[in-house]
Amino acid sequence: MFSSSSTTRKIAWLTGLPLLLLLLSGCSGYDPMAWLRDAPQSTFDAKGPVAEQQLQLFYVTLWVTAFIFVTVGSVLAYATFRFRQRPGDADKPPPAQTHGHPIVEISLIAAAVLLLVIIAVPTVRAIYDIYELPDDEDMLVIDVTAYQWWWAFEYPEEGVTTANEIAIPVGRKVKFNLRTFDVIHSFWVPKLGGKIDMIPNRDNWLWLQADEPGQFWGQCAEFCGESHANMKFRVFAYEEDQFQEWLEHQRSDAVDPEEELAVEGKERFQGRGCLACHTIQGHDAMGLAGPDLTHFGSRVTLGAGMVENTEENLVRWLRDPDGFKPGNLMALDQNVQNLTDEDIAALTAYLKSLQ
Ligand code: HEC
Ligand SMILES: [Cu+2]
């Protein structure tokens, strides 16, 4: 029988133990979700209204589906135990068969509809909230173009062009105009919200807002080739005055190098043809195939958010771009392939000086 005390005890343990652990963890202050939130690309740590709404929607869906899972699972488990075959059952005639039960069927349909409505209401509301451009005079506009495998950013009204790292003001809405130069990419800043695809020949946009200062990771979220996973970026949310300072600095021309090695690097940047693909504002370099390097030395990351922007990493990057970031289009260039150690030392000093 189902109610035999040993089976009951086993079931009680199986369901009770995890529940007990959960309760204990609640009392001890131990937070079992912390590891989920601490990851830099965690959506469980919403830092702006769009991400918050998307997270709440996720929870609604999670609880409704968890409820369905537990209910259906329990009924199934009960039926499996209660009506299992026992010794000697094989000789008995099968139990009486029934067909249809209008009340059960109608209630199941009604319950399913109700659960879907519970999910649908916040879903539809979120779609309207996120895809309706907020009527906000203060809104900042940033044009984003995705390339394999990096990001170009332009602030049309502020006259700023940069790559792979941007700043936004805390508490202000930001509209991102999203385009791609080549294949389909997708724009996503997990802690602020998203994501939305960047599709060739189609303009998409998205608005986001950061509620507190911080450094937020961005990531291409649509497979776009070899280095898709390495196609990241950084968003720095600053208070308004710090943000204005950042804009001012970004607008300025590149500083002229003073150190001897860096001066030589500036010459080699021209001589080795780096200027064909990179812009360095004020230094006669206006290439567009690669990231703007005007203030590259002040960036914290290298290779589109891939690694820390250290001298060591920069040397590795110039020595073997393709080994460093597989598929890297800069590696196709003859001049880049033939850089000598002297070239690399001088170029590194120059790039670092571009504060
Ligand atoms: C054929 C065009 C091309 C040439 C020539 C070229 N690059 Fe690049 N460069 C790129 C592209 C494209 C990227 C972005 C690669 C990526 O992140 O996927 C890049 C990235 C970089 C970066 C990293 C930028 C960042 O924000 O992370 C540095 C630094 C750099 N190049 C320096 C150089 C130097 C120095 C030379 C000359 C020796 C050079 N490049 C020549 C196309 C080029
Ligand atoms: Cu991509």
Side-chain angles (χ1 to χ4, degrees), residues 148-211:
Q148 284 174 317
W149 289 271
W150 60 281
W151 309 81
F153 294 103
E154 233 172 285
Y155 296 61
E157 280 151 39
E158 287 74 16
V160 163
T161 302
T162 185
N164 298 333
E165 289 183 11
I166 49 167
I168 60 170
V170 170
R172 252 167 80 187
K173 296 187 170 64
V174 184
K175 181 189 181 212
F176 294 94
N177 290 317
L178 305 169
R179 290 168 187 201
T180 169
F181 177 75
D182 36 49
V183 299
I184 301 183
H185 300 272
S186 182
F187 185 84
W188 190 29
V189 190
K191 294 194 178 194
L192 299 184
K195 50 189 121 52
I196 191 162
D197 280 2
M198 308 165 92
I199 302 166
N201 298 319
R202 183 182 159 155
D203 293 344
N204 268 344
W205 60 266
L206 176 73
W207 73 270
L208 298 176
Q209 180 184 317
D211 285 338

Side-chain angles (χ1 to χ4, degrees), residues 34 50 64 81 90 155 159 176 183 202 221 241 264 269 278 301 307:
V50 176
V64 169
F81 265 107
Y155 296 61
F176 294 94
V183 299
R202 183 182 159 155
D241 43 351
E264 196 187 318
F269 194 86
H278 292 287
T301 65
V307 292

Side-chain angles (χ1 to χ4, degrees), residues 19-155:
L19 214 67
L20 193 71
L21 286 177
L22 205 71
L23 278 177
L24 281 179
S25 68
C27 304
S28 64
Y30 168 71
D31 180 358
M33 294 282 282
W35 65 276
L36 263 182
R37 273 195 307 266
D38 287 348
Q41 294 187 183
S42 171
T43 48
F44 289 96
D45 184 27
K47 288 287 196 276
V50 176
E52 184 59 39
Q53 191 169 22
Q54 290 172 332
L55 181 60
Q56 292 312 326
L57 182 56
F58 169 78
Y59 281 133
V60 169
T61 314
L62 178 73
W63 289 123
V64 169
T65 48
F67 170 76
I68 295 171
F69 176 75
V70 170
T71 312
V72 174
S74 313
V75 172
L76 182 67
Y78 172 76
T80 311
F81 265 107
R82 177 76 177 78
F83 302 107
R84 70 187 187 279
Q85 195 180 55
R86 296 188 186 77
D89 276 1
D91 306 332
K92 293 184 191 154
Q97 304 291 305
T98 61
H99 281 287
H101 194 307
I103 294 182
V104 170
E105 281 164 23
I106 290 171
S107 334
L108 282 178
I109 292 170
V113 169
L114 179 71
L115 291 175
L116 282 180
V117 168
I118 293 178
I119 294 179
V121 169
T123 303
V124 172
R125 192 188 301 152
I127 290 174
Y128 277 96
D129 284 355
I130 293 168
Y131 293 113
E132 187 175 276
L133 197 58
D135 186 18
D136 188 346
E137 282 192 0
D138 257 3
M139 192 159 58
L140 175 74
V141 176
I142 304 181
D143 294 341
V144 188
T145 310
Y147 291 74
Q148 284 174 317
W149 289 271
W150 60 281
W151 309 81
F153 294 103
E154 233 172 285
Y155 296 61

Side-chain angles (χ1 to χ4, degrees), residues 232-243:
K232 300 168 189 271
F233 60 101
R234 293 291 162 90
V235 178
F236 296 87
Y238 293 142
E239 296 295 355
E240 191 67 37
D241 43 351
Q242 203 185 351
F243 172 67

Side-chain angles (χ1 to χ4, degrees), residues 148-150 163-164 227 230 268-269 272-278 289-293 296 299 301-305 314 317-318 325 328-330 332-333 335-336 339 347 351:
Q148 284 174 317
W149 289 271
W150 60 281
N164 298 333
S227 262
N230 295 323
R268 294 194 193 219
F269 194 86
R272 299 289 175 266
C274 314
L275 79 174
C277 295
H278 292 287
D292 187 299
L293 298 177
F296 173 76
R299 292 218 262 277
T301 65
L302 162 69
L314 199 48
W317 173 275
L318 293 174
K325 184 169 181 175
N328 190 340
L329 297 176
M330 173 165 143
L332 300 176
D333 186 77
N335 284 317
V336 171
L339 291 178
L347 287 168
L351 289 167

